Amino acid sequence: DSGVTQTPKHLITATGQRVTLRCSPRSGDLSVYWYQQSLDQGLQFLIQYYNGEERAKGNILERFSAQQFPDLHSELNLSSLELGDSALYFCASSVETSGRWDTQYFGPGTRLTVL
Amino acid sequence: DQQVKQNSPSLSVQEGRISILNCDYTNSMFDYFLWYKKYPAEGPTFLISISSIKDKNEDGRFTVFLNKSAKHLSLHIVPSQPGDSAVYFCAASPRVRYGGSQGNLIFGKGTKLSVKP
């Protein structure tokens, strides 16, 4: 158990809909990262939040947005869903010390199926 | 364009023998390299890492080698055990030693390791 929790575990929805994925980081970790893993693809970095503020952005679509709340949990919002958005969405957290590498610990993921 | 490549989608090894998983990268700005292991229906689990200032890091049965001139790293598992059967992801991070964000880990597509008893 990495200490990172994600809900829900599975999500089935229809095209055009909007969903929210939730992530709680490990205790003490200030950074939250979101990754997407599509079929036959490696994990693609989407976005990072650090202590409530956006820190880095990757291949995140404009239909997707995220935020990190004062209690450090994070939500990833996916809107106007398309079939191609079906994927595993992982959240990871780390302490993130400036100038030093801190391991990212991953949650179990949310499997999103868009029908 | 893939910056981190794992060219072998799968690898099968006999229990007790050595498993060697390979990874190539293209970006010389990568500063830190990691291996994650992933079982079905679980998130990736951190295995071992190496900084670009080193060429070898060892942790029990796992050793990572980095060849910067060839932009190549490898993970050696000795001896291999059936419980090691999983998908192994190689990942790289850009420079953090100069205050940059480590957020954007770049992952390869993974190699599925099967260790047969």
Side-chain angles (χ1 to χ4, degrees):
Chain A
D1 184 0
S2 67
V4 179
T5 60
Q6 288 187 250
T7 57
K9 200 168 178 63
H10 301 279
L11 199 49
I12 301 175
T13 188
T15 54
Q17 295 298 305
R18 173 190 169 95
V19 297
T20 297
L21 282 53
R22 183 188 168 104
C23 167
S24 292
R26 295 187 322 151
S27 176
D29 285 357
L30 298 178
S31 259
V32 169
Y33 315 80
W34 287 97
Y35 292 86
Q36 178 193 57
Q37 184 184 19
S38 302
L39 194 64
D40 294 332
Q41 295 291 320
L43 287 85
Q44 302 281 325
F45 169 68
L46 295 178
I47 196 165
Q48 177 201 3
Y49 275 80
Y50 174 79
N51 204 20
E53 294 190 1
E54 183 182 305
R55 174 67 72 90
K57 222 168 184 175
N59 301 321
I60 188 166
L61 299 172
E62 285 192 11
R63 299 184 286 110
F64 296 180
S65 65
Q67 54 184 327
Q68 186 179 27
F69 295 86
D71 66 353
L72 300 177
H73 92 270
S74 177
E75 292 181 356
L76 179 66
N77 301 296
L78 314 176
S79 61
S80 303
L81 285 167
E82 302 175 359
L83 295 177
D85 297 328
S86 296
L88 273 166
Y89 291 85
F90 290 102
C91 166
S93 74
S94 76
V95 173
E96 179 119 357
T97 307
S98 178
R100 193 193 82 183
W101 174 263
D102 294 308
T103 299
Q104 293 185 24
Y105 294 91
F106 282 77
T110 293
R111 180 175 291 280
L112 172 67
T113 302
V114 182
L115 301 175
Chain B
D1 185 27
Q2 267 191 283
Q3 297 186 66
V4 176
K5 296 180 184 178
Q6 294 177 256
N7 291 320
S8 298
S10 63
L11 175 68
S12 183
V13 171
Q14 206 66 33
E15 180 180 6
R17 308 293 282 265
I18 184 171
S19 294
I20 299 177
L21 295 95
N22 294 303
C23 178
D24 296 298
Y25 63 95
T26 58
N27 191 338
S28 58
M29 292 293 288
F30 288 147
D31 196 37
Y32 221 86
F33 302 89
L34 309 92
W35 286 93
Y36 282 84
K37 178 170 74 172
K38 186 180 181 304
Y39 293 118
E42 294 184 12
T45 302
F46 170 73
L47 199 55
I48 193 169
S49 62
I50 187 167
S51 164
S52 60
I53 61 174
K54 295 185 176 181
D55 55 18
K56 178 182 173 181
N57 188 26
E58 196 170 348
D59 184 2
R61 297 186 297 115
F62 302 92
T63 302
V64 56
F65 295 92
L66 176 63
N67 182 334
K68 284 180 64 179
S69 60
K71 293 191 176 67
H72 177 84
L73 66 155
S74 60
L75 174 68
H76 292 209
I77 306 174
V78 184
S80 301
Q81 299 173 354
D84 296 329
S85 297
V87 177
Y88 289 77
F89 290 98
C90 170
S93 177
R95 295 185 183 276
V96 297
R97 281 181 285 135
Y98 306 100
S101 170
Q102 65 183 52
N104 44 325
L105 276 178
I106 312 294
F107 281 85
K109 292 189 177 182
T111 296
K112 184 176 183 179
L113 173 66
S114 299
V115 180
K116 299 185 184 308

